[in-house]
Amino acid sequence: MKKHISKWWVVSGLMLSFGAWAESTANAAPGPDMLVYIQPVEFTNPIKLWHPYTDYWFYQGPPVEAIAVDKLGKAYGKVEVCDANQSGRALVWLQPKMFYNPQVQQFYGKVTAEVYTGIGKHIGTYVGEANVRGTLGLQAETRIKQSYALAMDHVVSKMKADNALQAQFGAAANQAAETTPCSMVTLLPTNALRRALPF
C-alpha cells in the first residue's frame, strides 16, 4: 500500500511540474518575426580594402548586423540576431561584400539576403548594391557603413516588392507559424555555386 501511495505522489508531482512548465511556455513572450544570420567568419576574419599607399582592414559582420537589424526591424517588426537555438518565423541569411576602387575613390557595398520560411523553405534571394564616394584614409568606416546601409535599403525594397514574400509574412501573422532554429541554418538550401565559393 505504501508503494502505491508513494508512486501516486511521484506521478502527481510530475503532472503538476509538467502543467507549470506548459503554462509558463504558453505565457512566454512570442519569438521574433525574423532572425538575421551572418556567418561567424565575417566577425573573426577581417577583409582588406586595397590602396597603393594605404590598406584598410575591417570586419564585415558588425556593421552589417547592426544596419540589417535596424532596417529589417522597421520593415518587418521584431527582428533579432541568430543566437544558438533561438527560433523565428522567418530567417534571413545575409552575405556582405565590400570592394574599394582607388582610381575612382568609390566604396562598393553588396548585401545578398537569402530568405527562408519558418520551416526552412527558401523563399527568395534579394541582392542590394550601392556605391559611396570617399577616400580610404579619411572616414573609411563611415563610408563603409553608408554603402552597406544603402545596399540594405535596396534589399528591403526588393523584399517589399515581392508579393510571394509578403503573402508568406501575412499568412505567418494570421496563424501559428512553425519556426526555424538558428542551429539549422547551415543545412538550409542555398545556391550551389554560392555555397561552393569561399566568399
Side-chain angles (χ1 to χ4, degrees), residues 51-121:
H51 187 278
Y53 307 107
T54 306
D55 292 336
Y56 186 82
W57 291 84
F58 79 103
Y59 297 96
Q60 296 189 99
V64 173
E65 180 179 271
I67 290 165
V69 168
D70 176 58
K71 293 191 178 290
L72 290 170
K74 288 175 182 174
Y76 290 101
K78 188 178 179 184
V79 175
E80 294 180 9
V81 177
C82 267
D83 182 24
N85 259 354
Q86 187 179 21
S87 296
R89 294 192 303 171
L91 190 141
V92 181
W93 184 343
L94 297 177
Q95 300 161 40
K97 285 188 182 179
M98 179 63 64
F99 171 73
Y100 180 73
N101 185 333
Q103 294 180 329
V104 294
Q105 296 184 339
Q106 291 274 358
F107 292 84
Y108 295 94
K110 179 178 178 182
V111 177
T112 302
E114 303 281 357
V115 181
Y116 302 86
T117 66
I119 58 172
K121 177 185 174 188

Side-chain angles (χ1 to χ4, degrees), residues 15-160:
M15 289 178 69
L16 287 172
S17 298
F18 178 76
W21 173 82
E23 185 179 347
S24 66
T25 303
N27 294 333
D33 297 315
M34 182 180 287
L35 289 171
V36 172
Y37 174 80
I38 301 173
Q39 288 184 313
V41 69
E42 303 295 357
F43 295 86
T44 57
N45 290 21
I47 66 165
K48 180 174 80 169
L49 300 181
W50 178 85
H51 187 278
Y53 307 107
T54 306
D55 292 336
Y56 186 82
W57 291 84
F58 79 103
Y59 297 96
Q60 296 189 99
V64 173
E65 180 179 271
I67 290 165
V69 168
D70 176 58
K71 293 191 178 290
L72 290 170
K74 288 175 182 174
Y76 290 101
K78 188 178 179 184
V79 175
E80 294 180 9
V81 177
C82 267
D83 182 24
N85 259 354
Q86 187 179 21
S87 296
R89 294 192 303 171
L91 190 141
V92 181
W93 184 343
L94 297 177
Q95 300 161 40
K97 285 188 182 179
M98 179 63 64
F99 171 73
Y100 180 73
N101 185 333
Q103 294 180 329
V104 294
Q105 296 184 339
Q106 291 274 358
F107 292 84
Y108 295 94
K110 179 178 178 182
V111 177
T112 302
E114 303 281 357
V115 181
Y116 302 86
T117 66
I119 58 172
K121 177 185 174 188
H122 186 257
I123 302 175
T125 302
Y126 309 90
V127 180
E129 296 179 287
N131 55 21
V132 173
R133 188 169 178 80
T135 58
L136 196 58
L138 299 172
Q139 298 184 328
E141 183 179 355
T142 301
R143 302 296 176 247
I144 288 168
K145 288 179 180 177
Q146 288 173 344
S147 183
Y148 280 139
L150 290 171
M152 273 307 304
D153 284 338
H154 293 162
V155 167
V156 171
S157 66
K158 288 179 179 180
M159 289 171 66
K160 285 288 200 182

